[in-house]
């Protein structure tokens, strides 16, 4: 049976459809990945994107989308009604079929490591991918939001799981996770 995972990144842009399209084009560019939904919100200034596919392809598509978001979204002027701390705020992976949560966590860690090393901004892991119990809850990880990030990164208790221990004003940070489906 082939393995399928879902990825639901949330980007801190919900108003400029040109930027949103450039990000989702990155997802669509990866063979084997199916873009299922793009849900922008003007008031939240946030877009939730949903795509599925085999794990490696989904990880590749997620990385490309996060990279493009880091190039196009400048957090220094971001305003919106939703808690956030990065250009790509969260990037959860969800096991769909033929894959365990434990395997999905491994993929989340691989993605988080790649983002931290190649894009050079801080990465936290949350939910099932959390490396510490206190980081399981996304609200706890995101506490202080973008505006409190510089101070948070100076606290040894909040050293990122991957990437540099430095505040990157343009991109902020990202939380990469592994979780079950959410029923909103």
């Amino acid at each position: 049976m082939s393995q399928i995972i879902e990825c639901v990144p949330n980007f801190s842009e919900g108003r400029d459809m040109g930027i949103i399209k450039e990000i989702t084009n990155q997802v669509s560019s990866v063979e084997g990945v199916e873009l299922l939904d793009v849900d922008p919100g003007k008031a939240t200034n946030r877009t939730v994107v949903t795509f599925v596919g085999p794990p490696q392809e989904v990880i590749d598509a997620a990385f490309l989308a996060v990279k493009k978001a880091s190039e196009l979204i400048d957090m220094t002027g971001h305003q919106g009604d939703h808690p956030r701390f990065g250009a790509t705020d969260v990037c959860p992976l969800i096991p769909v079929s033929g894959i365990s949560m434990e395997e999905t966590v491994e993929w989340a860690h691989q993605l988080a490591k790649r983002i931290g090393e190649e894009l050079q901004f801080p990465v936290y892991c949350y939910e099932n991918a959390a490396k510490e119990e206190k980081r399981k809850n996304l609200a706890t990880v995101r506490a202080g939001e973008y505006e409190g990030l510089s101070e948070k990164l100076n606290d040894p208790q909040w050293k990122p799981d991957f990437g540099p221990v430095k505040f990157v004003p343009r991109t902020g940070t990202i939380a990469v996770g592994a979780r079950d489906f959410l029923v909103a």
Side-chain angles (χ1 to χ4, degrees), residues 96-182:
V96 175
S97 71
I99 188 167
S100 68
M101 181 57 78
E102 292 73 23
E103 290 168 301
T104 305
V105 165
E106 289 176 28
W107 285 105
H109 288 162
Q110 184 179 347
L111 174 60
K113 182 176 192 280
R114 185 173 175 196
I115 291 168
E117 289 177 358
E118 293 183 35
L119 301 182
Q120 284 296 296
F121 58 85
V123 182
Y124 291 101
C125 295
Y126 77 105
E127 291 252 351
N128 291 293
K131 291 180 167 278
E132 297 177 46
E133 188 63 34
K134 74 176 182 186
R135 295 186 181 187
K136 277 182 128 24
N137 183 299
L138 178 59
T140 304
V141 173
R142 202 196 276 136
E145 294 190 49
Y146 173 80
E147 291 74 12
L149 200 49
S150 179
E151 186 178 324
K152 184 177 215 159
L153 287 163
N154 284 325
D155 181 348
Q157 296 280 323
W158 284 101
K159 179 182 182 289
D161 294 306
F162 296 98
V165 184
K166 71 175 185 189
F167 178 53
V168 182
R170 184 174 173 81
T171 58
T173 188
I174 182 175
V176 175
R179 63 164 173 76
D180 291 313
F181 286 99
L182 284 182

Side-chain angles (χ1 to χ4, degrees), residues 39-55:
D39 184 17
K42 283 187 174 29
T44 56
N45 199 11
R46 176 185 193 87
T47 297
V48 179
V49 175
T50 307
F51 55 95
V52 296

Side-chain angles (χ1 to χ4, degrees), residues 21-35 51 57 60-65 68:
K21 185 77 176 135
E22 282 193 60
I23 293 168
T24 58
N25 283 347
Q26 297 299 306
V27 173
S28 299
S29 75
V30 178
E31 182 100 17
V33 171
E34 186 173 346
L35 181 62
F51 55 95
E57 287 81 351
D60 291 344
F63 177 81
L64 291 172
K68 184 56 77 176

